[in-house]
Short mmCIF file of all heavy atoms in Angstrom, two decimals:
data_model
loop_
_atom_site.label_atom_id
_atom_site.label_comp_id
_atom_site.label_asym_id
_atom_site.label_seq_id
_atom_site.Cartn_x
_atom_site.Cartn_y
_atom_site.Cartn_z
N VAL A 12 125.12 48.15 126.63
CA VAL A 12 126.22 47.20 126.76
C VAL A 12 127.54 47.89 126.47
O VAL A 12 127.58 49.04 126.04
CB VAL A 12 126.01 46.00 125.82
CG1 VAL A 12 124.71 45.29 126.11
CG2 VAL A 12 126.07 46.43 124.35
N CYS A 13 128.63 47.19 126.67
CA CYS A 13 129.97 47.74 126.41
C CYS A 13 130.03 48.31 124.99
O CYS A 13 129.63 47.65 124.03
CB CYS A 13 131.03 46.67 126.58
SG CYS A 13 131.27 46.14 128.28
N MET A 14 130.54 49.54 124.88
CA MET A 14 130.53 50.24 123.60
C MET A 14 131.79 49.98 122.78
O MET A 14 132.08 50.68 121.80
CB MET A 14 130.33 51.74 123.81
CG MET A 14 131.47 52.49 124.47
SD MET A 14 132.00 51.84 126.06
CE MET A 14 131.91 53.29 127.09
N THR A 15 132.52 48.96 123.18
CA THR A 15 133.63 48.45 122.38
C THR A 15 133.14 47.23 121.60
O THR A 15 132.02 46.77 121.78
CB THR A 15 134.79 48.06 123.31
OG1 THR A 15 134.27 47.20 124.33
CG2 THR A 15 135.41 49.29 123.95
N MET A 16 133.99 46.70 120.72
CA MET A 16 133.61 45.49 119.99
C MET A 16 133.93 44.27 120.84
O MET A 16 134.73 43.41 120.48
CB MET A 16 134.31 45.44 118.63
CG MET A 16 133.74 44.38 117.68
SD MET A 16 131.96 44.39 117.48
CE MET A 16 131.71 45.93 116.59
N GLY A 17 133.29 44.24 122.02
CA GLY A 17 133.40 43.09 122.90
C GLY A 17 132.39 42.03 122.51
O GLY A 17 131.77 42.07 121.44
N THR A 18 132.16 41.10 123.41
CA THR A 18 131.24 40.01 123.10
C THR A 18 129.82 40.51 122.91
O THR A 18 129.10 40.03 122.02
CB THR A 18 131.27 38.96 124.23
OG1 THR A 18 132.62 38.49 124.39
CG2 THR A 18 130.38 37.78 123.89
N ALA A 19 129.39 41.48 123.72
CA ALA A 19 128.02 41.97 123.62
C ALA A 19 127.74 42.55 122.24
O ALA A 19 126.78 42.16 121.56
CB ALA A 19 127.76 43.01 124.70
N MET A 20 128.58 43.49 121.78
CA MET A 20 128.32 44.11 120.48
C MET A 20 128.64 43.16 119.33
O MET A 20 128.00 43.23 118.27
CB MET A 20 129.13 45.40 120.34
CG MET A 20 128.54 46.59 121.07
SD MET A 20 126.75 46.86 120.83
CE MET A 20 126.60 46.87 119.05
N THR A 21 129.57 42.25 119.53
CA THR A 21 129.82 41.25 118.50
C THR A 21 128.58 40.39 118.29
O THR A 21 128.11 40.21 117.16
CB THR A 21 131.01 40.35 118.88
OG1 THR A 21 132.19 41.14 119.01
CG2 THR A 21 131.25 39.28 117.82
N MET A 22 128.01 39.88 119.37
CA MET A 22 126.90 38.94 119.23
C MET A 22 125.62 39.63 118.77
O MET A 22 124.86 39.05 117.98
CB MET A 22 126.66 38.21 120.55
CG MET A 22 127.77 37.22 120.93
SD MET A 22 128.27 36.11 119.59
CE MET A 22 126.72 35.31 119.18
N THR A 23 125.35 40.84 119.23
CA THR A 23 124.15 41.52 118.73
C THR A 23 124.32 41.89 117.26
O THR A 23 123.37 41.79 116.47
CB THR A 23 123.80 42.76 119.57
OG1 THR A 23 124.93 43.62 119.65
CG2 THR A 23 123.36 42.36 120.96
N SER A 24 125.53 42.27 116.87
CA SER A 24 125.78 42.55 115.46
C SER A 24 125.58 41.31 114.61
O SER A 24 124.98 41.36 113.52
CB SER A 24 127.21 43.09 115.26
OG SER A 24 127.39 44.32 115.93
N LEU A 25 126.04 40.17 115.09
CA LEU A 25 125.90 38.94 114.33
C LEU A 25 124.45 38.47 114.31
O LEU A 25 124.01 37.85 113.34
CB LEU A 25 126.82 37.86 114.90
CG LEU A 25 128.32 38.19 114.87
CD1 LEU A 25 129.15 36.99 115.29
CD2 LEU A 25 128.77 38.72 113.53
N ALA A 26 123.68 38.78 115.36
CA ALA A 26 122.25 38.48 115.32
C ALA A 26 121.59 39.23 114.18
O ALA A 26 120.70 38.70 113.49
CB ALA A 26 121.60 38.85 116.66
N GLU A 27 122.02 40.47 113.94
CA GLU A 27 121.48 41.23 112.82
C GLU A 27 121.93 40.64 111.48
O GLU A 27 121.12 40.52 110.55
CB GLU A 27 121.91 42.69 112.92
CG GLU A 27 121.33 43.57 111.81
CD GLU A 27 121.58 45.04 112.02
OE1 GLU A 27 121.70 45.50 113.18
OE2 GLU A 27 121.65 45.78 111.00
N VAL A 28 123.18 40.25 111.38
CA VAL A 28 123.66 39.62 110.14
C VAL A 28 122.89 38.32 109.88
O VAL A 28 122.56 38.01 108.72
CB VAL A 28 125.18 39.34 110.22
CG1 VAL A 28 125.66 38.60 108.98
CG2 VAL A 28 125.95 40.64 110.38
N LEU A 29 122.58 37.59 110.92
CA LEU A 29 121.81 36.35 110.77
C LEU A 29 120.36 36.60 110.36
O LEU A 29 119.65 35.66 110.00
CB LEU A 29 121.83 35.56 112.08
CG LEU A 29 123.16 34.89 112.46
CD1 LEU A 29 123.11 34.41 113.91
CD2 LEU A 29 123.48 33.74 111.53
N GLY A 30 119.94 37.84 110.41
CA GLY A 30 118.58 38.17 109.99
C GLY A 30 117.57 38.14 111.10
O GLY A 30 116.36 38.14 110.84
N LEU A 31 118.00 38.16 112.37
CA LEU A 31 117.09 37.98 113.50
C LEU A 31 116.67 39.29 114.15
O LEU A 31 115.89 39.28 115.11
CB LEU A 31 117.73 37.06 114.54
CG LEU A 31 118.07 35.65 114.04
CD1 LEU A 31 118.79 34.86 115.12
CD2 LEU A 31 116.83 34.92 113.57
N THR A 32 117.19 40.44 113.66
CA THR A 32 116.77 41.75 114.17
C THR A 32 116.29 42.61 113.00
O THR A 32 116.58 42.31 111.83
CB THR A 32 117.92 42.51 114.86
OG1 THR A 32 118.78 43.09 113.86
CG2 THR A 32 118.74 41.59 115.75
N LEU A 33 115.61 43.67 113.33
CA LEU A 33 115.32 44.65 112.29
C LEU A 33 116.62 45.25 111.78
O LEU A 33 117.59 45.39 112.54
CB LEU A 33 114.42 45.76 112.84
CG LEU A 33 112.99 45.35 113.21
CD1 LEU A 33 112.24 46.54 113.79
CD2 LEU A 33 112.24 44.77 112.01
N PRO A 34 116.71 45.63 110.49
CA PRO A 34 117.96 46.17 109.96
C PRO A 34 118.36 47.46 110.67
O PRO A 34 117.52 48.33 110.90
CB PRO A 34 117.65 46.41 108.48
CG PRO A 34 116.16 46.39 108.38
CD PRO A 34 115.68 45.49 109.45
N GLY A 35 119.64 47.53 111.05
CA GLY A 35 120.16 48.71 111.72
C GLY A 35 119.90 48.76 113.21
O GLY A 35 120.32 49.71 113.88
N ALA A 36 119.26 47.73 113.76
CA ALA A 36 118.84 47.79 115.16
C ALA A 36 120.01 47.75 116.14
O ALA A 36 119.95 48.38 117.20
CB ALA A 36 117.88 46.63 115.46
N THR A 37 121.06 47.03 115.82
CA THR A 37 122.06 46.73 116.85
C THR A 37 122.99 47.89 117.16
O THR A 37 123.57 47.94 118.24
CB THR A 37 122.93 45.52 116.42
OG1 THR A 37 123.60 45.83 115.20
CG2 THR A 37 122.10 44.29 116.24
N SER A 38 123.16 48.82 116.24
CA SER A 38 124.16 49.88 116.45
C SER A 38 123.62 51.08 117.20
O SER A 38 124.39 51.94 117.63
CB SER A 38 124.70 50.34 115.09
OG SER A 38 125.15 49.25 114.31
N ILE A 39 122.31 51.20 117.36
CA ILE A 39 121.71 52.39 117.97
C ILE A 39 122.11 52.46 119.44
O ILE A 39 121.88 51.52 120.20
CB ILE A 39 120.18 52.36 117.87
CG1 ILE A 39 119.72 52.11 116.44
CG2 ILE A 39 119.59 53.66 118.40
CD1 ILE A 39 118.23 51.84 116.31
N PRO A 40 122.70 53.57 119.91
CA PRO A 40 123.02 53.68 121.33
C PRO A 40 121.77 53.53 122.19
O PRO A 40 120.69 54.03 121.86
CB PRO A 40 123.61 55.10 121.45
CG PRO A 40 124.16 55.38 120.08
CD PRO A 40 123.20 54.73 119.13
N ALA A 41 121.93 52.86 123.32
CA ALA A 41 120.78 52.56 124.18
C ALA A 41 120.01 53.81 124.62
O ALA A 41 118.77 53.76 124.68
CB ALA A 41 121.26 51.76 125.40
N PRO A 42 120.66 54.94 124.94
CA PRO A 42 119.88 56.10 125.40
C PRO A 42 119.24 56.91 124.27
O PRO A 42 118.47 57.84 124.55
CB PRO A 42 120.94 56.98 126.12
CG PRO A 42 122.14 56.11 126.27
CD PRO A 42 122.10 55.15 125.14
N ASP A 43 119.54 56.60 123.03
CA ASP A 43 119.03 57.36 121.88
C ASP A 43 117.53 57.10 121.72
O ASP A 43 117.08 55.95 121.81
CB ASP A 43 119.79 56.91 120.62
CG ASP A 43 119.62 57.86 119.45
OD1 ASP A 43 118.46 58.14 119.09
OD2 ASP A 43 120.64 58.29 118.87
N SER A 44 116.75 58.14 121.44
CA SER A 44 115.31 57.96 121.27
C SER A 44 114.99 57.02 120.11
O SER A 44 113.94 56.38 120.09
CB SER A 44 114.63 59.31 121.05
OG SER A 44 115.07 59.92 119.84
N ARG A 45 115.91 56.92 119.17
CA ARG A 45 115.70 56.00 118.05
C ARG A 45 115.69 54.54 118.52
O ARG A 45 115.12 53.68 117.86
CB ARG A 45 116.76 56.24 116.97
CG ARG A 45 116.53 57.52 116.18
CD ARG A 45 117.71 57.91 115.33
NE ARG A 45 118.78 58.50 116.13
CZ ARG A 45 119.78 59.24 115.63
NH1 ARG A 45 119.86 59.44 114.32
NH2 ARG A 45 120.72 59.75 116.41
N HIS A 46 116.32 54.28 119.64
CA HIS A 46 116.31 52.93 120.18
C HIS A 46 114.91 52.55 120.65
O HIS A 46 114.43 51.43 120.40
CB HIS A 46 117.31 52.80 121.34
CG HIS A 46 117.59 51.39 121.74
ND1 HIS A 46 116.82 50.72 122.67
CD2 HIS A 46 118.53 50.50 121.32
CE1 HIS A 46 117.29 49.49 122.82
NE2 HIS A 46 118.32 49.33 122.01
N ALA A 47 114.22 53.48 121.31
CA ALA A 47 112.85 53.21 121.74
C ALA A 47 111.93 53.02 120.54
O ALA A 47 111.03 52.16 120.56
CB ALA A 47 112.35 54.36 122.62
N ARG A 48 112.13 53.79 119.50
CA ARG A 48 111.30 53.64 118.31
C ARG A 48 111.56 52.31 117.63
O ARG A 48 110.65 51.67 117.09
CB ARG A 48 111.52 54.82 117.35
CG ARG A 48 111.10 56.15 117.96
CD ARG A 48 110.90 57.23 116.89
NE ARG A 48 112.13 57.63 116.23
CZ ARG A 48 112.97 58.56 116.69
NH1 ARG A 48 112.70 59.19 117.83
NH2 ARG A 48 114.04 58.89 116.02
N MET A 49 112.82 51.86 117.65
CA MET A 49 113.15 50.54 117.11
C MET A 49 112.45 49.44 117.90
O MET A 49 111.95 48.46 117.34
CB MET A 49 114.67 50.33 117.13
CG MET A 49 115.16 48.96 116.69
SD MET A 49 115.21 47.73 118.04
CE MET A 49 116.51 48.41 119.07
N ALA A 50 112.40 49.61 119.23
CA ALA A 50 111.73 48.61 120.07
C ALA A 50 110.25 48.50 119.72
O ALA A 50 109.70 47.40 119.63
CB ALA A 50 111.91 48.97 121.55
#
């Protein structure tokens, strides 16, 4: 998604704050291998 603090990163970040994602999940860049491990 857009790598600025647009709606996409705002809402995924807030999903993490709400407790609906694994901790640290939202900031991992999509192409990073750590993203696949998080999935």
Side-chain angles (χ1 to χ4, degrees):
V12 302
C13 291
M14 69 305 233
T15 52
M16 192 50 69
T18 303
M20 282 313 308
T21 299
M22 291 312 303
T23 54
S24 297
L25 299 187
E27 183 171 331
V28 176
L29 288 168
L31 300 176
T32 78
L33 292 178
T37 60
S38 308
I39 308 170
D43 195 307
S44 64
R45 286 168 283 198
H46 193 272
R48 296 198 293 274
M49 176 273 293

